[in-house]
Amino acid sequence: MTVQQQQAMDQTVLVYEDDPGSPPGAVPVRHPVPQLETQPFPTAIAQPAPQPDSAGPGTAAFRYWVAADALSSASRMWGPLVPSGTQWVPSVGRVLTAHLDEGVDLNAFYTRRSLEFFHQTVAGVEVFSAQSPEIVRHELGHAVLDALRPQLFHAAMHEGDGLHEAFGDISALLTALQMESLRITVLTETQGNLELSSRVSRMAEQLGWAIRQLKPDRVDPDCLRNMSNTFFYRDPVGLPPLGPANTLTSEPHSFSRVFSGAFLKIVAGIFRQQAAQDQAGLAKAAEIAGRLLVDAVVAAPVVSAYYAQVAGHMIAADQRRFGGVHGQSLRSAFIRHGILSLEAATSITAAEVARRGAGIAEATPGGSDDQGLTTVTIQGMAYGVKGPLTLSAPGEVRRFGIAGSAPAGGSLRPTDPEQVATSYLEDLLRRGRVAVPEEHRSDTAVVDDNPSRLKTHEITRSETTEGLTLVRRCFD
Protein backbone atom coordinates (compact mmCIF):
# COMPACT_ATOMS: atom_id res chain seq x y z
CA MET A 1 0.00 0.00 0.00
CA THR A 2 1.35 3.40 -0.96
CA VAL A 3 1.66 6.30 1.44
CA GLN A 4 -1.05 8.15 -0.49
CA GLN A 5 -3.45 5.17 -0.20
CA GLN A 6 -2.78 4.89 3.53
CA GLN A 7 -3.40 8.62 3.97
CA ALA A 8 -6.70 8.30 2.05
CA MET A 9 -7.78 5.44 4.32
CA ASP A 10 -6.93 7.47 7.40
CA GLN A 11 -9.08 10.41 6.26
CA THR A 12 -12.78 10.73 7.00
CA VAL A 13 -15.69 12.67 5.57
CA LEU A 14 -19.02 13.83 6.97
CA VAL A 15 -22.00 11.92 5.53
CA TYR A 16 -25.58 10.94 6.29
CA GLU A 17 -26.00 7.24 7.04
CA ASP A 18 -29.56 7.20 5.79
CA ASP A 19 -32.08 9.74 4.52
CA PRO A 20 -31.71 13.34 5.78
CA GLY A 21 -35.37 13.19 6.79
CA SER A 22 -37.95 15.93 6.97
CA PRO A 23 -36.74 19.38 8.03
CA PRO A 24 -34.71 20.14 10.10
CA GLY A 25 -32.83 17.04 8.92
CA ALA A 26 -30.45 14.40 10.25
CA VAL A 27 -27.13 14.69 12.03
CA PRO A 28 -24.12 13.77 9.85
CA VAL A 29 -21.51 11.28 11.02
CA ARG A 30 -17.92 10.55 10.00
CA HIS A 31 -17.09 7.68 7.64
CA PRO A 32 -13.77 6.74 5.98
CA VAL A 33 -13.24 8.33 2.57
CA PRO A 34 -15.30 6.11 0.23
CA GLN A 35 -13.62 4.03 -2.46
CA LEU A 36 -15.69 4.06 -5.66
CA GLU A 37 -13.66 1.46 -7.57
CA THR A 38 -15.56 -1.34 -5.84
CA GLN A 39 -15.75 -4.58 -7.85
CA PRO A 40 -17.78 -5.94 -9.55
CA PHE A 41 -19.77 -2.69 -9.58
CA PRO A 42 -17.35 0.25 -9.87
CA THR A 43 -18.89 3.70 -9.81
CA ALA A 44 -17.75 7.28 -10.36
CA ILE A 45 -19.11 10.78 -9.86
CA ALA A 46 -18.97 13.19 -12.79
CA GLN A 47 -17.91 16.13 -10.62
CA PRO A 48 -14.32 16.38 -9.34
CA ALA A 49 -13.81 15.09 -5.82
CA PRO A 50 -13.52 17.88 -3.22
CA GLN A 51 -11.10 17.78 -0.31
CA PRO A 52 -12.36 15.41 2.39
CA ASP A 53 -12.15 18.06 5.09
CA SER A 54 -14.02 20.68 3.06
CA ALA A 55 -17.48 19.14 3.32
CA GLY A 56 -20.10 20.59 5.66
CA PRO A 57 -23.91 20.20 5.46
CA GLY A 58 -25.47 22.50 2.90
CA THR A 59 -22.43 22.48 0.60
CA ALA A 60 -21.78 20.83 -2.74
CA ALA A 61 -18.77 19.08 -1.20
CA PHE A 62 -20.95 17.52 1.49
CA ARG A 63 -23.43 16.29 -1.12
CA TYR A 64 -20.55 14.78 -3.10
CA TRP A 65 -19.30 12.72 -0.16
CA VAL A 66 -22.80 11.62 0.88
CA ALA A 67 -23.41 10.30 -2.65
CA ALA A 68 -19.96 8.74 -2.89
CA ASP A 69 -20.40 6.96 0.44
CA ALA A 70 -23.84 5.67 -0.59
CA LEU A 71 -22.56 4.39 -3.96
CA SER A 72 -19.57 2.69 -2.37
CA SER A 73 -21.55 1.06 0.44
CA ALA A 74 -24.25 -0.27 -1.92
CA SER A 75 -21.64 -1.68 -4.30
CA ARG A 76 -19.87 -3.36 -1.39
CA MET A 77 -23.15 -4.85 -0.20
CA TRP A 78 -24.24 -6.31 -3.58
CA GLY A 79 -20.81 -7.50 -4.77
CA PRO A 80 -20.54 -10.66 -2.62
CA LEU A 81 -24.17 -11.62 -3.33
CA VAL A 82 -24.14 -11.68 -7.14
CA PRO A 83 -22.75 -14.52 -9.29
CA SER A 84 -19.14 -14.35 -10.38
CA GLY A 85 -18.69 -12.46 -13.64
CA THR A 86 -21.67 -10.13 -13.15
CA GLN A 87 -21.02 -6.64 -14.49
CA TRP A 88 -22.88 -3.54 -15.58
CA VAL A 89 -24.87 -3.78 -18.83
CA PRO A 90 -22.69 -2.90 -21.87
CA SER A 91 -24.24 0.54 -22.44
CA VAL A 92 -23.11 1.63 -18.96
CA GLY A 93 -19.50 0.68 -19.64
CA ARG A 94 -17.03 -0.47 -17.04
CA VAL A 95 -17.97 2.25 -14.55
CA LEU A 96 -21.43 3.57 -13.65
CA THR A 97 -21.23 7.38 -13.42
CA ALA A 98 -23.47 9.50 -11.20
CA HIS A 99 -24.42 13.09 -12.08
CA LEU A 100 -25.39 14.76 -8.83
CA ASP A 101 -27.39 17.78 -10.03
CA GLU A 102 -28.96 17.63 -13.49
CA GLY A 103 -31.52 20.37 -12.92
CA VAL A 104 -34.80 21.10 -11.19
CA ASP A 105 -36.97 18.11 -10.28
CA LEU A 106 -38.01 16.01 -7.31
CA ASN A 107 -36.65 12.81 -8.81
CA ALA A 108 -33.68 10.60 -9.70
CA PHE A 109 -33.09 8.32 -12.72
CA TYR A 110 -31.23 5.25 -13.87
CA THR A 111 -30.80 5.63 -17.64
CA ARG A 112 -28.60 2.66 -18.65
CA ARG A 113 -25.81 5.17 -19.15
CA SER A 114 -25.66 6.86 -15.76
CA LEU A 115 -27.44 7.77 -12.55
CA GLU A 116 -28.98 11.24 -12.59
CA PHE A 117 -30.07 13.27 -9.59
CA PHE A 118 -31.87 16.60 -9.22
CA HIS A 119 -32.82 19.35 -6.80
CA GLN A 120 -35.82 21.57 -6.08
CA THR A 121 -36.66 24.20 -3.48
CA VAL A 122 -39.91 23.45 -1.64
CA ALA A 123 -41.31 25.60 1.18
CA GLY A 124 -37.95 27.30 1.48
CA VAL A 125 -36.02 24.01 1.77
CA GLU A 126 -33.58 23.02 -0.98
CA VAL A 127 -34.00 19.28 -1.53
CA PHE A 128 -31.24 17.40 -3.36
CA SER A 129 -32.08 13.79 -4.24
CA ALA A 130 -28.34 12.89 -4.29
CA GLN A 131 -28.08 14.02 -0.66
CA SER A 132 -30.23 11.04 0.38
CA PRO A 133 -28.21 7.81 0.72
CA GLU A 134 -31.46 5.88 0.41
CA ILE A 135 -32.25 7.42 -2.99
CA VAL A 136 -28.68 6.87 -4.25
CA ARG A 137 -28.73 3.23 -3.09
CA HIS A 138 -32.18 2.77 -4.63
CA GLU A 139 -31.00 4.00 -8.03
CA LEU A 140 -27.90 1.83 -7.89
CA GLY A 141 -30.23 -1.08 -7.15
CA HIS A 142 -31.89 -0.52 -10.55
CA ALA A 143 -28.48 -0.83 -12.20
CA VAL A 144 -27.64 -4.03 -10.28
CA LEU A 145 -30.94 -5.68 -11.23
CA ASP A 146 -30.38 -4.59 -14.83
CA ALA A 147 -27.00 -6.35 -14.73
CA LEU A 148 -28.64 -9.51 -13.38
CA ARG A 149 -31.79 -9.41 -15.55
CA PRO A 150 -31.45 -7.02 -18.53
CA GLN A 151 -34.58 -8.55 -20.08
CA LEU A 152 -36.71 -6.54 -17.63
CA PHE A 153 -35.56 -3.17 -18.96
CA HIS A 154 -37.76 -3.14 -22.07
CA ALA A 155 -40.31 -5.76 -20.96
CA ALA A 156 -43.88 -4.50 -21.23
CA MET A 157 -45.08 -5.95 -17.92
CA HIS A 158 -46.22 -4.27 -14.71
CA GLU A 159 -44.60 -6.86 -12.47
CA GLY A 160 -41.19 -6.38 -14.07
CA ASP A 161 -41.35 -2.66 -13.30
CA GLY A 162 -42.71 -3.33 -9.83
CA LEU A 163 -39.88 -5.74 -9.08
CA HIS A 164 -37.36 -3.13 -10.27
CA GLU A 165 -38.74 -0.53 -7.85
CA ALA A 166 -38.93 -3.05 -5.00
CA PHE A 167 -35.35 -4.12 -5.71
CA GLY A 168 -34.28 -0.47 -5.45
CA ASP A 169 -35.90 -0.10 -2.03
CA ILE A 170 -34.43 -3.44 -0.96
CA SER A 171 -31.02 -2.15 -2.06
CA ALA A 172 -31.45 0.81 0.29
CA LEU A 173 -32.64 -1.44 3.14
CA LEU A 174 -29.91 -4.06 2.87
CA THR A 175 -27.16 -1.46 2.55
CA ALA A 176 -28.43 0.34 5.66
CA LEU A 177 -28.41 -2.96 7.54
CA GLN A 178 -24.72 -3.38 6.79
CA MET A 179 -24.04 -0.56 9.26
CA GLU A 180 -23.83 -1.63 12.89
CA SER A 181 -25.08 1.76 14.10
CA LEU A 182 -28.29 1.46 12.05
CA ARG A 183 -28.83 -2.15 13.06
CA ILE A 184 -28.65 -1.15 16.73
CA THR A 185 -30.97 1.79 16.08
CA VAL A 186 -33.64 -0.23 14.30
CA LEU A 187 -33.57 -3.04 16.88
CA THR A 188 -34.11 -0.47 19.63
CA GLU A 189 -36.80 1.36 17.67
CA THR A 190 -38.80 -1.79 16.88
CA GLN A 191 -37.89 -3.71 20.06
CA GLY A 192 -36.73 -6.52 17.81
CA ASN A 193 -39.93 -6.72 15.71
CA LEU A 194 -38.49 -5.73 12.35
CA GLU A 195 -41.87 -5.87 10.63
CA LEU A 196 -42.73 -2.55 12.29
CA SER A 197 -42.17 0.82 10.69
CA SER A 198 -38.64 2.01 11.37
CA ARG A 199 -35.83 4.25 10.27
CA VAL A 200 -34.77 1.70 7.65
CA SER A 201 -38.25 0.71 6.40
CA ARG A 202 -39.22 4.31 5.66
CA MET A 203 -37.83 5.29 2.28
CA ALA A 204 -36.77 8.83 1.31
CA GLU A 205 -38.39 10.82 4.11
CA GLN A 206 -37.13 14.19 2.88
CA LEU A 207 -38.17 13.70 -0.75
CA GLY A 208 -41.50 12.37 0.49
CA TRP A 209 -41.94 15.51 2.62
CA ALA A 210 -41.19 17.73 -0.39
CA ILE A 211 -43.65 15.93 -2.68
CA ARG A 212 -46.29 15.98 0.07
CA GLN A 213 -46.15 19.80 0.18
CA LEU A 214 -47.13 19.88 -3.50
CA LYS A 215 -49.26 16.73 -3.87
CA PRO A 216 -50.46 15.68 -0.40
CA ASP A 217 -52.03 12.35 -1.39
CA ARG A 218 -49.23 11.04 -3.62
CA VAL A 219 -46.86 9.76 -0.89
CA ASP A 220 -47.02 8.24 2.58
CA PRO A 221 -47.60 10.56 5.58
CA ASP A 222 -44.02 10.20 6.88
CA CYS A 223 -41.92 9.15 3.87
CA LEU A 224 -42.00 8.39 0.17
CA ARG A 225 -42.80 4.69 0.66
CA ASN A 226 -42.76 2.39 3.66
CA MET A 227 -41.72 -1.24 3.38
CA SER A 228 -43.71 -1.88 6.55
CA ASN A 229 -47.10 -2.28 4.89
CA THR A 230 -49.98 -4.70 4.34
CA PHE A 231 -50.64 -4.27 0.60
CA PHE A 232 -52.09 -7.48 -0.81
CA TYR A 233 -51.37 -8.72 -4.33
CA ARG A 234 -53.81 -8.04 -7.14
CA ASP A 235 -53.26 -8.76 -10.81
CA PRO A 236 -51.98 -5.34 -11.93
CA VAL A 237 -53.89 -5.63 -15.20
CA GLY A 238 -57.05 -5.03 -13.16
CA LEU A 239 -55.71 -2.14 -11.08
CA PRO A 240 -56.14 1.59 -11.84
CA PRO A 241 -53.06 3.32 -13.30
CA LEU A 242 -52.92 5.99 -10.58
CA GLY A 243 -54.35 6.67 -7.14
CA PRO A 244 -53.57 8.06 -3.70
CA ALA A 245 -50.70 6.57 -1.71
CA ASN A 246 -53.01 4.60 0.59
CA THR A 247 -54.32 2.53 -2.34
CA LEU A 248 -52.65 -0.05 -4.56
CA THR A 249 -52.34 0.82 -8.25
CA SER A 250 -50.45 -0.56 -11.25
CA GLU A 251 -48.02 2.40 -11.12
CA PRO A 252 -44.62 0.75 -10.53
CA HIS A 253 -43.71 2.53 -7.29
CA SER A 254 -47.13 1.76 -5.84
CA PHE A 255 -47.20 -1.86 -7.00
CA SER A 256 -43.62 -2.42 -5.78
CA ARG A 257 -44.83 -2.16 -2.19
CA VAL A 258 -46.44 -5.60 -2.36
CA PHE A 259 -43.05 -7.24 -2.94
CA SER A 260 -40.94 -4.95 -0.75
CA GLY A 261 -43.44 -5.39 2.09
CA ALA A 262 -43.04 -9.15 1.82
CA PHE A 263 -39.25 -8.82 1.72
CA LEU A 264 -39.17 -6.83 4.97
CA LYS A 265 -41.19 -9.61 6.61
CA ILE A 266 -38.71 -12.16 5.22
CA VAL A 267 -35.79 -10.33 6.86
CA ALA A 268 -37.80 -10.15 10.08
CA GLY A 269 -38.65 -13.86 9.94
CA ILE A 270 -35.09 -14.97 9.23
CA PHE A 271 -33.88 -12.71 12.05
CA ARG A 272 -36.26 -14.45 14.48
CA GLN A 273 -34.56 -17.72 13.54
CA GLN A 274 -31.08 -16.47 14.44
CA ALA A 275 -29.50 -17.77 17.63
CA ALA A 276 -28.24 -14.27 18.41
CA GLN A 277 -31.11 -11.79 18.64
CA ASP A 278 -28.75 -8.84 18.34
CA GLN A 279 -27.22 -6.60 15.70
CA ALA A 280 -24.93 -9.41 14.49
CA GLY A 281 -27.95 -11.69 14.04
CA LEU A 282 -29.70 -8.97 12.06
CA ALA A 283 -26.66 -8.58 9.78
CA LYS A 284 -26.77 -12.33 9.10
CA ALA A 285 -30.52 -12.29 8.38
CA ALA A 286 -30.14 -9.43 5.90
CA GLU A 287 -27.29 -11.21 4.13
CA ILE A 288 -29.30 -14.44 3.80
CA ALA A 289 -32.38 -12.64 2.47
CA GLY A 290 -30.31 -10.71 -0.06
CA ARG A 291 -28.58 -13.85 -1.29
CA LEU A 292 -31.90 -15.67 -1.77
CA LEU A 293 -33.32 -12.71 -3.69
CA VAL A 294 -30.34 -12.60 -6.07
CA ASP A 295 -30.57 -16.35 -6.67
CA ALA A 296 -34.26 -15.97 -7.46
CA VAL A 297 -34.12 -13.04 -9.88
CA VAL A 298 -31.34 -14.75 -11.83
CA ALA A 299 -33.30 -18.00 -12.14
CA ALA A 300 -36.97 -16.94 -12.30
CA PRO A 301 -38.44 -17.02 -15.83
CA VAL A 302 -39.85 -13.76 -17.22
CA VAL A 303 -43.58 -14.44 -17.17
CA SER A 304 -46.76 -12.46 -16.59
CA ALA A 305 -47.17 -13.64 -12.98
CA TYR A 306 -43.55 -12.66 -12.30
CA TYR A 307 -43.80 -11.90 -8.58
CA ALA A 308 -44.97 -15.46 -7.93
CA GLN A 309 -42.07 -16.95 -9.88
CA VAL A 310 -39.50 -14.85 -8.01
CA ALA A 311 -41.13 -15.86 -4.73
CA GLY A 312 -41.11 -19.54 -5.70
CA HIS A 313 -37.46 -19.34 -6.70
CA MET A 314 -36.54 -17.74 -3.36
CA ILE A 315 -38.10 -20.74 -1.62
CA ALA A 316 -36.25 -23.06 -4.01
CA ALA A 317 -32.95 -21.21 -3.42
CA ASP A 318 -33.40 -21.63 0.33
CA GLN A 319 -33.91 -25.36 -0.12
CA ARG A 320 -30.75 -25.66 -2.22
CA ARG A 321 -28.53 -23.38 -0.10
CA PHE A 322 -29.82 -23.90 3.42
CA GLY A 323 -31.84 -27.09 3.34
CA GLY A 324 -35.11 -25.14 3.49
CA VAL A 325 -34.61 -23.88 7.06
CA HIS A 326 -36.04 -20.47 6.18
CA GLY A 327 -39.00 -21.84 4.25
CA GLN A 328 -41.58 -20.95 6.88
CA SER A 329 -40.44 -17.30 6.96
CA LEU A 330 -40.53 -17.10 3.16
CA ARG A 331 -43.89 -18.79 2.73
CA SER A 332 -45.51 -16.76 5.50
CA ALA A 333 -44.35 -13.44 4.04
CA PHE A 334 -45.42 -14.24 0.49
CA ILE A 335 -48.79 -15.61 1.62
CA ARG A 336 -49.49 -12.57 3.82
CA HIS A 337 -48.98 -10.28 0.84
CA GLY A 338 -50.85 -12.55 -1.60
CA ILE A 339 -47.82 -13.03 -3.85
CA LEU A 340 -48.31 -16.76 -3.44
CA SER A 341 -51.62 -18.46 -2.80
CA LEU A 342 -51.72 -21.02 -0.03
CA GLU A 343 -51.72 -23.92 -2.49
CA ALA A 344 -48.88 -22.34 -4.48
CA ALA A 345 -46.69 -21.84 -1.43
CA THR A 346 -47.14 -25.42 -0.23
CA SER A 347 -46.56 -26.92 -3.68
CA ILE A 348 -42.88 -25.90 -3.81
CA THR A 349 -41.59 -28.95 -1.97
CA ALA A 350 -38.03 -30.25 -1.74
CA ALA A 351 -38.94 -33.01 -4.20
CA GLU A 352 -40.34 -30.48 -6.70
CA VAL A 353 -37.22 -28.32 -6.44
CA ALA A 354 -35.00 -31.36 -6.92
CA ARG A 355 -37.01 -32.43 -9.97
CA ARG A 356 -36.50 -29.02 -11.60
CA GLY A 357 -33.05 -28.47 -10.17
CA ALA A 358 -31.10 -28.79 -13.43
CA GLY A 359 -32.96 -25.93 -15.08
CA ILE A 360 -32.51 -23.72 -12.04
CA ALA A 361 -28.82 -24.54 -11.77
CA GLU A 362 -28.25 -23.63 -15.44
CA ALA A 363 -29.65 -20.13 -14.94
CA THR A 364 -27.01 -17.42 -15.34
CA PRO A 365 -27.15 -13.64 -14.91
CA GLY A 366 -27.23 -11.22 -17.82
CA GLY A 367 -28.20 -12.27 -21.31
CA SER A 368 -29.66 -10.18 -24.10
CA ASP A 369 -32.45 -7.66 -23.76
CA ASP A 370 -34.91 -9.83 -25.69
CA GLN A 371 -34.04 -13.15 -24.03
CA GLY A 372 -37.19 -14.61 -22.52
CA LEU A 373 -39.45 -12.06 -24.22
CA THR A 374 -41.89 -12.47 -27.06
CA THR A 375 -42.94 -9.85 -29.60
CA VAL A 376 -46.55 -8.74 -29.60
CA THR A 377 -47.76 -6.59 -32.50
CA ILE A 378 -50.80 -4.38 -32.05
CA GLN A 379 -52.56 -1.80 -34.20
CA GLY A 380 -51.01 1.51 -33.23
CA MET A 381 -53.95 3.54 -34.56
CA ALA A 382 -55.98 2.43 -31.54
CA TYR A 383 -53.52 4.46 -29.45
CA GLY A 384 -53.06 7.40 -31.80
CA VAL A 385 -49.87 5.99 -33.33
CA LYS A 386 -49.29 5.50 -37.05
CA GLY A 387 -48.80 1.91 -38.17
CA PRO A 388 -48.19 -1.35 -36.30
CA LEU A 389 -46.58 -1.16 -32.87
CA THR A 390 -44.50 -3.97 -31.33
CA LEU A 391 -44.24 -4.61 -27.59
CA SER A 392 -41.88 -6.95 -25.73
CA ALA A 393 -44.16 -9.23 -23.71
CA PRO A 394 -43.13 -11.82 -21.10
CA GLY A 395 -42.57 -15.03 -23.01
CA GLU A 396 -40.77 -17.67 -20.96
CA VAL A 397 -42.24 -20.92 -19.67
CA ARG A 398 -43.13 -21.07 -15.98
CA ARG A 399 -40.82 -23.34 -14.03
CA PHE A 400 -43.28 -23.68 -11.15
CA GLY A 401 -47.03 -23.82 -11.78
CA ILE A 402 -47.78 -21.17 -9.19
CA ALA A 403 -49.55 -17.82 -8.98
CA GLY A 404 -50.76 -15.18 -6.58
CA SER A 405 -53.75 -15.43 -4.31
CA ALA A 406 -57.27 -14.66 -5.49
CA PRO A 407 -59.17 -12.31 -3.14
CA ALA A 408 -61.74 -15.01 -2.37
CA GLY A 409 -59.11 -17.73 -1.96
CA GLY A 410 -57.32 -20.10 -4.26
CA SER A 411 -54.94 -19.09 -7.03
CA LEU A 412 -55.32 -16.44 -9.69
CA ARG A 413 -54.97 -17.53 -13.29
CA PRO A 414 -52.00 -15.70 -14.86
CA THR A 415 -53.03 -13.15 -17.47
CA ASP A 416 -52.23 -13.76 -21.12
CA PRO A 417 -48.90 -12.11 -22.11
CA GLU A 418 -50.48 -10.08 -24.92
CA GLN A 419 -53.05 -8.63 -22.52
CA VAL A 420 -50.27 -7.90 -20.00
CA ALA A 421 -48.32 -5.95 -22.64
CA THR A 422 -51.27 -3.97 -24.02
CA SER A 423 -52.50 -3.12 -20.52
CA TYR A 424 -48.98 -1.95 -19.67
CA LEU A 425 -48.91 0.36 -22.72
CA GLU A 426 -52.34 1.79 -21.93
CA ASP A 427 -51.33 2.55 -18.36
CA LEU A 428 -48.18 4.35 -19.56
CA LEU A 429 -50.25 6.46 -21.95
CA ARG A 430 -52.85 7.23 -19.29
CA ARG A 431 -50.07 8.38 -16.96
CA GLY A 432 -48.54 10.52 -19.71
CA ARG A 433 -45.23 8.66 -19.60
CA VAL A 434 -44.68 7.94 -23.34
CA ALA A 435 -42.88 10.29 -25.73
CA VAL A 436 -44.20 10.01 -29.29
CA PRO A 437 -42.42 12.01 -32.01
CA GLU A 438 -44.67 14.08 -34.28
CA GLU A 439 -43.96 11.90 -37.31
CA HIS A 440 -45.39 8.84 -35.53
CA ARG A 441 -48.62 10.50 -34.33
CA SER A 442 -51.99 10.08 -35.97
CA ASP A 443 -54.65 12.80 -36.03
CA THR A 444 -56.15 11.29 -32.88
CA ALA A 445 -52.92 11.03 -30.88
CA VAL A 446 -53.41 10.94 -27.09
CA VAL A 447 -49.87 12.02 -26.16
CA ASP A 448 -49.31 14.12 -23.03
CA ASP A 449 -46.93 16.92 -24.07
CA ASN A 450 -46.65 18.48 -20.60
CA PRO A 451 -42.87 19.19 -20.41
CA SER A 452 -42.88 18.74 -16.62
CA ARG A 453 -44.11 15.15 -16.91
CA LEU A 454 -41.22 12.70 -17.15
CA LYS A 455 -41.31 10.38 -20.15
CA THR A 456 -39.94 7.00 -19.06
CA HIS A 457 -40.62 5.45 -22.49
CA GLU A 458 -40.70 6.44 -26.13
CA ILE A 459 -42.12 5.09 -29.34
CA THR A 460 -39.50 4.84 -32.03
CA ARG A 461 -38.78 3.13 -35.34
CA SER A 462 -38.01 -0.55 -34.77
CA GLU A 463 -34.57 -1.78 -35.79
CA THR A 464 -35.65 -5.40 -36.13
CA THR A 465 -39.24 -5.35 -37.40
CA GLU A 466 -41.37 -3.21 -39.65
CA GLY A 467 -43.21 -0.45 -37.88
CA LEU A 468 -42.70 1.10 -34.46
CA THR A 469 -41.70 -0.21 -31.05
CA LEU A 470 -41.95 0.84 -27.40
CA VAL A 471 -38.59 1.27 -25.64
CA ARG A 472 -37.63 2.44 -22.17
CA ARG A 473 -35.63 5.59 -21.51
CA CYS A 474 -35.11 5.27 -17.77
CA PHE A 475 -36.28 4.04 -14.39
CA ASP A 476 -37.15 7.00 -12.17
Side-chain angles (χ1 to χ4, degrees):
M1 181 181 298
T2 66
V3 173
Q4 290 81 2
Q5 288 174 324
Q6 183 61 55
Q7 289 175 339
M9 290 182 65
D10 292 340
Q11 289 180 304
T12 61
V13 291
L14 277 175
V15 299
Y16 290 139
E17 287 191 315
D18 65 349
D19 194 83
S22 304
V27 176
V29 300
R30 287 207 167 270
H31 278 192
V33 172
Q35 304 300 308
L36 294 176
E37 277 282 343
T38 302
Q39 300 299 326
F41 297 127
T43 58
I45 295 178
Q47 295 87 331
Q51 289 296 316
D53 59 358
S54 66
T59 66
F62 178 71
R63 292 191 290 273
Y64 178 99
W65 291 118
V66 169
D69 186 70
L71 291 169
S72 175
S73 59
S75 292
R76 289 199 312 272
M77 186 277 294
W78 284 117
L81 301 182
V82 301
S84 176
T86 305
Q87 57 188 346
W88 301 127
V89 294
S91 58
V92 166
R94 189 185 71 84
V95 176
L96 177 65
T97 301
H99 299 264
L100 302 188
D101 190 1
E102 291 296 282
V104 178
D105 199 358
L106 293 174
N107 216 330
F109 308 156
Y110 165 64
T111 68
R112 257 197 175 178
R113 295 179 302 278
S114 61
L115 304 180
E116 298 182 9
F117 301 91
F118 302 82
H119 79 277
Q120 187 165 326
T121 300
V122 178
V125 177
E126 202 166 26
V127 176
F128 288 85
S129 57
Q131 192 167 267
S132 166
E134 289 177 348
I135 295 174
V136 175
R137 294 162 185 158
H138 172 102
E139 296 305 324
L140 186 132
H142 281 300
V144 171
L145 181 54
D146 199 19
L148 294 170
R149 259 315 199 182
Q151 301 89 334
L152 298 178
F153 194 82
H154 292 301
M157 51 185 288
H158 299 96
E159 295 194 27
D161 284 15
L163 198 281
H164 246 284
E165 297 302 336
F167 198 93
D169 286 353
I170 290 166
S171 178
L173 172 76
L174 294 181
T175 307
L177 292 178
Q178 282 213 316
M179 288 175 256
E180 182 177 345
S181 58
L182 289 183
R183 294 197 298 270
I184 293 171
T185 296
V186 72
L187 286 172
T188 301
E189 185 180 2
T190 64
Q191 296 185 328
N193 184 2
L194 298 173
E195 295 184 14
L196 299 179
S197 177
S198 72
R199 184 172 171 180
V200 296
S201 77
R202 295 186 291 270
M203 294 288 133
E205 290 96 320
Q206 187 181 67
L207 183 64
W209 170 86
I211 294 173
R212 197 158 50 249
Q213 309 315 300
L214 307 174
K215 300 176 181 179
D217 70 340
R218 293 296 294 274
V219 298
D220 283 0
D222 55 358
C223 60
L224 189 68
R225 286 181 298 279
N226 199 329
M227 296 177 72
S228 177
N229 67 66
T230 56
F231 288 105
F232 195 84
Y233 178 87
R234 295 289 185 271
D235 187 336
V237 169
L239 290 173
L242 286 171
N246 62 357
T247 64
L248 186 66
T249 74
S250 66
E251 194 278 328
H253 300 89
S254 173
F255 195 70
S256 74
R257 297 176 296 177
V258 176
F259 197 94
S260 62
F263 189 85
L264 181 67
K265 291 178 176 61
I266 288 168
V267 174
I270 294 176
F271 173 67
R272 287 193 293 268
Q273 293 182 262
Q274 299 304 302
Q277 292 290 290
D278 57 12
Q279 62 84 18
L282 177 52
K284 183 63 175 176
E287 187 269 336
I288 291 170
R291 192 171 297 280
L292 295 177
L293 176 63
V294 168
D295 283 359
V297 297
V298 168
V302 180
V303 297
S304 53
Y306 186 55
Y307 275 15
Q309 288 296 313
V310 174
H313 282 76
M314 284 187 72
I315 294 171
D318 178 58
Q319 291 178 357
R320 295 195 315 277
R321 280 191 179 272
F322 304 108
V325 298
H326 309 108
Q328 181 174 331
S329 297
L330 292 162
R331 288 183 174 85
S332 173
F334 289 130
I335 287 170
R336 289 170 65 188
H337 282 267
I339 292 172
L340 290 177
S341 67
L342 286 162
E343 61 182 350
T346 56
S347 71
I348 308 172
T349 62
E352 177 70 0
V353 171
R355 187 169 71 86
R356 300 183 181 276
I360 298 174
E362 290 166 3
T364 57
S368 63
D369 278 6
D370 58 358
Q371 183 178 335
L373 302 178
T374 185
T375 298
V376 170
T377 302
I378 61 175
Q379 292 302 313
M381 291 298 291
Y383 304 100
V385 177
K386 294 179 181 177
L389 176 63
T390 60
L391 307 172
S392 297
E396 291 193 271
V397 177
R398 289 173 177 79
R399 183 167 289 115
F400 298 113
I402 55 178
S405 177
S411 296
L412 288 169
R413 180 177 180 178
T415 303
D416 175 81
E418 182 171 351
Q419 186 180 357
V420 168
T422 54
S423 171
Y424 179 85
L425 172 64
E426 289 199 11
D427 280 1
L428 287 176
L429 290 168
R430 289 187 289 188
R431 290 196 295 268
R433 290 303 193 102
V434 184
V436 184
E438 288 286 350
E439 64 268 26
H440 301 325
R441 301 182 186 185
S442 72
D443 293 338
T444 57
V446 290
V447 179
D448 185 338
D449 282 329
N450 184 345
S452 68
R453 186 136 23 246
L454 172 69
K455 302 299 186 284
T456 57
H457 291 72
E458 65 180 315
I459 289 176
T460 186
R461 182 68 58 186
S462 174
E463 296 180 357
T464 57
T465 62
E466 291 186 7
L468 305 174
T469 188
L470 177 74
V471 298
R472 178 181 294 279
R473 287 179 170 180
C474 67
F475 277 102
D476 70 315

